[in-house]
């Protein structure tokens, strides 16, 4: 009996996706709930599982095709597949250990591996997988891309080559939304700097106790998140959005935290960040970062948001003008901490300084409000007691 494999709902407002990779070939057996195809949406990669055990009989779309939610993407012949994994494990006899073999073509790969292969141009069949059952890991792909063998096969000096690589759906979406932000908003950036001495001292003083109690390291992002939440209360227009001819003000703060993924920059959302503790904030941000690297963020975690924080400092950026994430009206850019001479009480001293940049929609936010917001953030970071006393 033939069973249709249907593309499931992919999230609010997402109606289509691109076929990224087939994880199973026609004629191969699949277990119930085993992923058979990876799809690229506007935000993340999603794997579509088999609805039941069987044999993949048809692939109804090719890699690179655009497919709609609810469409039939493949068909299975039921009753001919492998036994469920648990049952198979019970009846299986122990087998002698074997050396890891190269990952076979068509073997299941994570979305992160799929993106890494596309970015590096590495042939999956040429890489020896070190994961379970010889499957590829992202590290395998990166190692293969930088291996001496790759250098040995490089073209001779003086030759000129070009390579064309299809943009992932995520990269296309990032490019489109950034351009839309420039075309739609009246973007302007205001700068300030902050003396990080107090935050660094507080972090150094309490980091061991914090990690012992909460099981997570105390970083700078929780300080900045808290400082932004306080500033958003004082300057609500930075937390607002334009919808048609109306301004929507919010009494909550859903903070987007820009993190890197193999396919580009993504912005998972800290819901109700104003109500989170330092520990809850650090745990959530750390979890976002890990799952972004592995391509495991969920679509609903990337939707919404009222304000964004982008930390270019982790890559060494000294100064930048971040671009808005529509329909948000503000984004704060953090940068690297650098010791610089400053004047304190008439004396030149060396302090760890960071430049802050607030890009904002000038249609909604006046210059005075933008400056006030940055000053509030600066005050809270230079005197972290304000974060506890809600000042």
């Amino acid at each position: 009996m033939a069973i249709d494999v249907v593309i499931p709902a992919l999230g609010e407002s997402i109606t289509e996706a691109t076929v990224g990779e087939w994880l199973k070939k026609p004629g191969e057996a699949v277990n119930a709930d085993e992923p058979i195809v990876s799809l690229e949406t506007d935000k993340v990669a999603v794997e579509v599982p088999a609805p039941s055990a069987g044999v993949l009989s048809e692939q109804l779309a090719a890699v690179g095709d655009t497919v709609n939610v609810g469409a039939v993407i493949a068909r299975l012949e039921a009753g001919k597949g492998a036994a469920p994994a648990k049952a198979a494990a019970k009846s299986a006899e122990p087998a002698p250990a074997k050396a890891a073999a190269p990952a076979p073509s068509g073997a299941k790969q994570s979305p992160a591996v799929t993106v890494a292969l596309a970015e590096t141009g590495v042939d999956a069949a040429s890489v020896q997988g070190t994961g379970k059952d010889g499957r590829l890991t992202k590290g395998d792909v990166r190692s293969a891309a930088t291996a001496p063998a790759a250098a040995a096969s490089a073209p001779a000096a003086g030759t000129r080559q070009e390579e064309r690589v299809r943009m992932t759906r995520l990269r296309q979406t990032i490019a489109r939304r950034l351009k839309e932000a420039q075309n739609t908003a009246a973007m302007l950036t205001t700068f300030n700097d902050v003396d990080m001495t107090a935050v660094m001292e507080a972090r150094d003083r309490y980091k061991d106790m914090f990690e012992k109690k909460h099981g997570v390291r105390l970083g700078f992002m929780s300080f900045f998140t808290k400082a932004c939440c306080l500033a958003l209360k004082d300057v609500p227009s930075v937390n607002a959005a334009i919808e048609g001819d109306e301004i929507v003000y919010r009494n909550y703060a859903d903070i987007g935290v820009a993190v890197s993924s193999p396919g580009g920059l993504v912005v998972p959302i800290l819901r109700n960040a104003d109500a989170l503790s330092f520990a809850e904030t650090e745990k959530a941000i750390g979890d976002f970062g890990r799952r972004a690297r592995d391509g495991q963020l969920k679509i609903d975690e990337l939707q919404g948001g009222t304000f964004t924080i982008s930390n270019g400092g982790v890559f060494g950026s000294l100064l930048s003008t971040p671009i808005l994430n529509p329909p948000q009206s503000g984004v704060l850019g953090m940068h690297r901490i650098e010791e610089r001479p400053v004047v304190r009480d008439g004396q030149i001293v060396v302090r760890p300084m960071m430049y802050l940049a607030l890009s904002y929609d000038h249609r909604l936010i006046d210059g005075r409000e933008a400056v006030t917001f940055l000053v509030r953030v600066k005050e809270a970071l230079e005197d972290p007691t304000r974060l506890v006393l809600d000042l």
Side-chain angles (χ1 to χ4, degrees):
M1 179 180 68
I3 297 176
D4 291 342
V5 180
V6 178
I7 298 174
L10 301 174
E12 183 182 354
S13 77
I14 297 179
T15 59
E16 63 181 25
T18 300
V19 179
E21 180 187 16
W22 282 99
L23 307 176
K24 288 290 184 177
K25 291 182 177 180
E28 286 189 321
V30 297
N31 294 316
D33 298 323
E34 184 177 7
I36 61 174
V37 64
S38 176
L39 303 178
E40 296 175 2
T41 73
D42 290 349
K43 297 180 179 290
V44 292
V46 177
E47 293 180 341
V48 178
S52 66
V55 171
L56 182 63
S57 58
E58 289 184 89
Q59 295 175 349
L60 301 180
V63 171
D65 285 354
T66 297
V67 290
N68 295 320
V69 171
V72 177
I73 193 171
R75 288 193 174 93
L76 301 175
E77 281 296 325
K80 297 184 179 180
K86 291 183 179 179
K90 283 187 177 181
S91 60
E93 293 294 329
K98 296 182 180 180
S105 176
K108 176 182 178 296
Q109 295 168 350
S110 71
V113 171
T114 301
V115 173
L117 289 169
E119 290 182 338
T120 60
V122 170
D123 180 7
S126 68
V127 183
Q128 179 171 319
T130 60
K132 184 179 179 181
D133 299 328
R135 293 172 180 170
L136 292 182
T137 67
K138 187 173 68 172
D140 296 334
V141 178
R142 297 298 182 193
S143 297
T146 57
S153 62
T159 60
R160 290 159 56 88
Q161 288 193 330
E162 292 182 352
E163 181 182 6
R164 293 181 182 270
V165 178
R166 183 178 65 87
M167 291 177 69
T168 65
R169 193 178 186 92
L170 174 59
R171 175 55 61 184
Q172 293 178 46
T173 300
I174 291 172
R176 186 182 69 251
R177 286 178 60 82
L178 291 177
K179 190 57 183 173
E180 286 175 354
Q182 289 182 318
N183 293 340
T184 302
M187 252 192 318
L188 184 63
T189 304
T190 295
F191 302 95
N192 209 324
D193 62 3
V194 57
D195 185 342
M196 294 291 290
T197 300
V199 169
M200 294 175 71
E201 288 178 349
R203 180 175 178 270
D204 289 342
R205 181 175 182 180
Y206 296 110
K207 64 181 182 180
D208 292 337
M209 295 171 58
F210 187 90
E211 185 170 4
K212 183 177 180 180
K213 180 174 181 178
H214 300 292
V216 65
R217 295 180 62 187
L218 177 60
F220 294 131
M221 283 301 297
S222 53
F223 286 93
F224 275 86
T225 301
K226 285 293 184 184
C228 285
C229 288
L230 283 178
L232 290 173
K233 290 181 180 179
D234 286 348
V235 191
S237 61
V238 182
N239 200 41
I242 294 176
E243 292 187 4
D245 58 358
E246 296 180 328
I247 300 174
V248 180
Y249 292 95
R250 291 93 164 214
N251 67 348
Y252 57 90
D254 287 348
I255 305 294
V257 181
V259 295
S260 293
S261 76
L265 195 70
V266 293
V267 188
I269 309 299
L270 280 172
R271 310 287 178 188
N272 298 311
D274 50 321
L276 298 180
S277 67
F278 275 75
E280 290 169 333
T281 301
E282 291 291 353
K283 288 177 181 179
I285 293 174
D287 180 57
F288 285 154
R290 286 187 294 272
R291 291 192 290 121
R293 289 190 295 270
D294 295 336
Q296 296 178 349
L297 288 173
K298 299 176 182 178
I299 290 176
D300 59 358
E301 293 174 320
L302 301 171
Q303 295 176 327
T306 63
F307 183 81
T308 293
I309 302 174
S310 180
N311 185 6
V314 297
F315 304 109
S317 171
L318 176 64
L319 197 60
S320 67
T321 55
I323 297 179
L324 292 174
N325 182 24
Q328 297 172 24
S329 299
V331 52
L332 181 76
M334 298 168 55
H335 302 90
R336 75 170 185 251
I337 300 171
E338 185 176 65
E339 289 192 338
R340 294 200 297 271
V342 295
V343 177
R344 295 288 185 269
D345 299 323
Q347 300 294 318
I348 298 176
V349 295
V350 175
R351 292 293 175 88
M353 304 297 293
M354 177 192 288
Y355 287 119
L356 301 180
L358 176 70
S359 290
Y360 56 97
D361 191 343
H362 208 358
R363 297 176 302 166
L364 173 60
I365 302 168
D366 295 331
R368 177 182 60 83
E369 294 172 309
V371 172
T372 300
F373 177 89
L374 278 178
V375 169
R376 293 290 182 270
V377 172
K378 175 183 173 73
E379 290 172 344
L381 294 171
E382 293 184 345
D383 182 9
T385 304
R386 290 172 176 265
L387 301 176
V388 179
L389 300 178
D390 194 14
L391 297 174

